Amino acid sequence: MHNEKILVIGAVAAGTKTAAKLKRENPSLNVTVITRDEYISYAGCGLPYYVGGIIEEKGELVVKTPEDFKLITGVDVLIKHEAIDIDRENKIVKAKVLTTGEIKNFEYDKLVFATGASPFIPPIKGVDLKGVFSLRKVEDAIAIRDLVESEKINKAVVIGGGFIGLETAENLFEKGVEVTLLELAPHILPGFDEEVALYAQNYLIEKGINILTGEKAVGIKGHDKVEGVTTDKRELDADLVIMSVGVRANVEIAKNIGVEIGTTGAIKVNENMETNIPGVYAVGDCAESTNLITGKPAWYPMGSTANKMGRIAGININGSTEKDFLSGVLGTTVVKLFGLNAAKTGLSEMAAKKEGYDTISVLVPGNDKAHYYPGYRMILTKLIADKNTHRVLGAQVIGEGVVDKPIDIIATAITLGAKVEDLEKLDLAYAPPFSMAMSTTILAANVLLNKLSGRIESISPVELKERRNEVTILDIRDEASHMIRSIPDSVNIYSEELYMRGNELDKGKETVLVCKIGKNAYLSYIKLKEMGFKNIKVLEGGMTAYPYETI
């Protein structure tokens, strides 16, 4: 094992993590990292915030320089070295020095691919114009901010409504740029369910971001520089275009030596991060994972996953007798958009249904702190479970309050195979500055258990939108609240008047009860049941969570 040569192709999170862990496990190893990039370890998720000036200095994005990394870990790091060919039989990687054109050979005993992922640039006219950028590297963020601050950038079009696209839109807006965000899907935040994504979408529109969904960019206009974007529906003026339509795993050089590519398009690895070729490993955004719930291959190109992969690869490459492994991931994520926070873990309801689960879910508002404590904010929790086993499948939490704590609690519960009943029994910390006495997680679990047991029947905003013309929508808020914002064609009978005016309703027609957050609708549900109504439901989340057209 002494003087064994380990070569890592690629750096950033996974490559440097693998190399550092290898040297900590066995300082005698000869570990070298080669990367075609200038920066070896940087905060990729912080790039939009450098564009917006929240992160003021570009040096703050760089976690470690090659020199720092060498001093701390003993790992040799060579930047601007691009791997161009691999002799698998003789275990030699040929690399080109990008600054000089020189070709170098690197011998290895074991090889690690940490080649990452690259932005997907759609094959449309004009993507090579000046003023068209992707945002994946430090150099991208520097160039975008320099352009915004040095030239007159009035209008920007961001193509893609995922996390990076939304964060970039926010930060450009904060720099005084008029921003239009273009998303091909029916709503922003792919991976979130419709009602949660639309809650965020409506919030961003109110903040001033112009959002166009279900619309495709078909070309970029301009001569020397970008002047606009052509969609399949209109022409948009733009001085700046950000392409943020996703990334693709960099697998070509691995594929060339016979490394197996998985169904996700990333490199297939086992739980020890080893490929189908003995002694060859893959980590980070170029490697696929396993979904903890379905057991199927999954690809989550995120820094958190990359770091875990790197650590596990470092342990196993060294031949530790105590094997560590990555059993799977949930794709847990969180994003801040102006003052709104959104997080998810596990399967969305849409994804769970595609996987064949008989799903049941609830959408429950609650406060992140005690309602009497200054600074409390409302958050919405969507909890998804399997109707037959009660196993928790996923969750989404959104609002201006704290969302990372509840999503992490639920991610932990899913990892341990929890059922809804297990969430209900969690003994969570409580004090007014930190939580309600009954936390939003436990509250959502209780509501879902009520639904599972048949104590209450409810309907989601999506279901109500689809069936609005088939049901009676009964808004039980007082008239003043009803007049502020209500669902079209709803009937307004204040909850305290139900006993007197219940005969105005058709008992034979399905009735959906609506209030502000759902609590009073549940109390009215009990009243109507007592009065002989059979077919009634409560709108989950009430008007607080209803993201569709209102009057």
Side-chain angles (χ1 to χ4, degrees):
M1 190 66 67
H2 288 278
N3 299 319
E4 187 176 29
K5 294 178 181 178
I6 315 294
L7 183 65
V8 181
I9 303 176
V12 197
T16 53
K17 183 68 173 182
T18 303
K21 184 61 177 173
L22 278 164
K23 291 293 280 188
R24 286 198 293 270
E25 291 287 302
N26 186 352
S28 69
L29 290 173
N30 184 340
V31 182
T32 302
V33 175
I34 62 171
T35 175
R36 65 186 178 186
D37 297 325
E38 179 180 353
Y39 300 97
I40 67 158
S41 183
Y42 57 86
C45 295
L47 298 180
Y49 301 103
Y50 177 79
V51 170
I54 294 173
I55 297 173
E56 295 182 0
E57 301 296 331
K58 62 185 178 183
E60 296 177 58
L61 294 171
V62 180
V63 180
K64 291 284 185 298
T65 65
E67 295 76 19
D68 292 336
F69 195 70
K70 170 74 172 179
L71 285 172
I72 295 168
T73 66
V75 174
D76 290 313
V77 181
L78 303 174
I79 63 171
K80 297 291 185 178
H81 280 57
E82 181 176 11
I84 57 175
D85 193 22
I86 300 173
D87 181 345
R88 174 180 165 183
E89 184 177 346
N90 294 304
K91 295 188 175 181
I92 295 172
V93 172
K94 182 184 293 185
K96 181 179 181 180
V97 183
L98 299 179
T99 52
T100 65
E102 179 188 0
I103 303 298
K104 289 184 180 180
N105 290 332
F106 294 88
E107 296 179 354
Y108 66 87
D109 294 301
K110 290 180 181 176
L111 181 64
V112 182
F113 289 105
T115 45
S118 296
F120 172 70
I121 306 298
I124 59 176
K125 183 180 178 182
V127 292
D128 54 348
L129 286 170
K130 180 183 176 184
V132 179
F133 296 90
S134 57
L135 185 54
R136 181 71 180 173
K137 299 179 180 180
V138 173
E139 297 92 332
D140 301 327
I142 293 170
I144 294 168
R145 179 163 151 183
D146 286 349
L147 184 66
V148 170
E149 292 182 348
S150 64
E151 297 188 22
K152 191 68 174 174
I153 302 296
N154 295 310
K155 296 182 178 182
V157 172
V158 177
I159 303 176
F163 281 8
I164 295 296
L166 292 169
E167 290 166 344
T168 305
E170 172 195 352
N171 280 279
L172 287 172
F173 183 85
E174 296 285 27
K175 297 286 281 186
V177 178
E178 182 183 326
V179 179
T180 296
L181 188 136
L182 194 63
E183 171 55 54
L184 179 61
H187 56 71
I188 63 170
L189 289 175
F192 283 71
D193 285 315
E194 182 177 309
E195 64 270 49
V196 180
L198 288 178
Y199 186 92
Q201 189 166 305
N202 292 338
Y203 175 91
L204 291 174
I205 290 170
E206 288 179 6
K207 285 291 182 180
I209 304 292
N210 181 32
I211 297 178
L212 304 174
T213 57
E215 198 160 333
K216 182 180 182 181
V218 296
I220 298 175
K221 303 182 299 178
H223 298 289
D224 296 331
K225 62 180 182 178
V226 63
E227 296 173 6
V229 174
T230 303
T231 79
D232 53 0
K233 296 179 181 178
R234 72 193 83 206
E235 301 279 339
L236 299 168
D237 293 333
D239 310 301
L240 172 66
V241 173
I242 307 295
M243 306 294 295
S244 186
V245 293
V247 295
R248 301 291 185 271
N250 296 325
V251 300
E252 285 306 312
I253 193 165
K255 189 177 179 181
N256 289 343
I257 64 166
V259 169
E260 185 178 354
I261 307 303
T263 57
T264 67
I267 296 171
K268 185 176 182 178
V269 293
N270 62 22
E271 60 186 11
N272 300 321
M273 300 295 109
E274 193 169 18
T275 70
N276 60 303
I277 300 175
V280 177
Y281 296 76
V283 292
D285 292 355
C286 68
E288 67 180 17
S289 305
T290 300
N291 185 288
L292 263 179
I293 298 171
T294 67
K296 295 180 180 180
W299 185 53
Y300 296 112
M302 297 186 293
S304 53
T305 303
N307 273 278
K308 282 182 279 190
M309 285 179 162
R311 182 182 188 277
I312 289 163
I315 291 171
N316 289 297
I317 292 168
N318 185 51
S320 171
T321 55
E322 296 181 8
K323 293 286 187 181
D324 201 351
F325 60 91
L326 183 64
S327 56
V329 292
L330 293 171
T332 307
T333 54
V334 64
V335 65
K336 184 192 82 68
L337 304 169
F338 294 98
L340 187 75
N341 308 308
K344 72 177 288 291
T345 191
L347 300 177
S348 66
E349 186 168 23
M350 179 176 63
K353 286 178 177 177
K354 285 183 179 178
E355 290 293 336
Y357 289 100
D358 185 8
T359 62
I360 186 167
S361 68
V362 288
L363 188 63
V364 182
N367 298 326
D368 66 341
K369 302 174 180 63
H371 69 276
Y372 53 83
Y373 190 84
Y376 78 90
R377 292 290 184 270
M378 191 278 298
I379 57 176
L380 288 168
T381 301
K382 178 168 185 178
L383 187 62
I384 304 143
D386 178 73
K387 191 180 294 185
N388 301 309
T389 64
H390 296 194
R391 179 188 178 191
V392 181
L393 299 175
Q396 294 155 49
V397 186
I398 190 168
E400 293 187 325
V402 175
V403 304
D404 58 329
K405 180 170 73 172
I407 211 68
D408 284 343
I409 291 168
I410 298 171
T412 303
I414 294 174
T415 302
L416 299 175
K419 296 182 178 182
V420 182
E421 290 85 348
D422 298 316
L423 282 185
E424 177 203 27
K425 296 181 179 72
L426 289 176
D427 185 17
L428 303 177
Y430 161 67
F434 301 100
S435 172
M436 299 191 299
M438 186 172 287
S439 79
T440 53
T441 300
I442 294 173
L443 180 63
N446 287 338
V447 175
L448 187 49
L449 285 172
N450 283 340
K451 191 172 179 178
L452 280 163
S453 66
R455 290 191 188 98
I456 187 171
E457 291 185 70
S458 62
I459 188 170
S460 73
V462 175
E463 293 173 294
L464 181 58
K465 178 202 69 169
E466 294 171 349
R467 302 187 55 231
R468 204 172 75 185
N469 296 329
E470 304 170 14
V471 302
T472 297
I473 301 173
L474 177 59
D475 193 324
I476 54 90
R477 295 173 296 166
D478 61 48
E479 188 174 356
S481 298
H482 179 263
M483 293 299 291
I484 294 171
R485 178 175 176 262
S486 61
I487 300 172
D489 302 319
S490 58
V491 177
N492 183 214
I493 299 178
Y494 185 38
S495 58
E496 293 183 357
E497 299 176 334
L498 280 176
Y499 285 129
M500 295 181 293
R501 298 179 58 191
N503 58 359
E504 298 176 20
L505 301 169
D506 182 355
K507 286 187 177 181
K509 189 175 182 181
E510 183 177 348
T511 301
V512 175
L513 293 164
V514 178
C515 67
K516 182 179 179 182
I517 62 173
K519 181 179 179 181
N520 287 334
Y522 174 58
L523 299 176
S524 297
Y525 175 93
I526 296 172
K527 284 183 184 179
L528 290 178
K529 282 285 186 181
E530 181 189 351
M531 295 166 63
F533 284 80
K534 304 291 186 187
N535 196 4
I536 51 177
K537 290 184 173 68
V538 170
L539 175 62
E540 295 173 5
M543 291 306 298
T544 299
Y546 190 74
Y548 301 107
E549 177 189 3
T550 58
I551 56 173

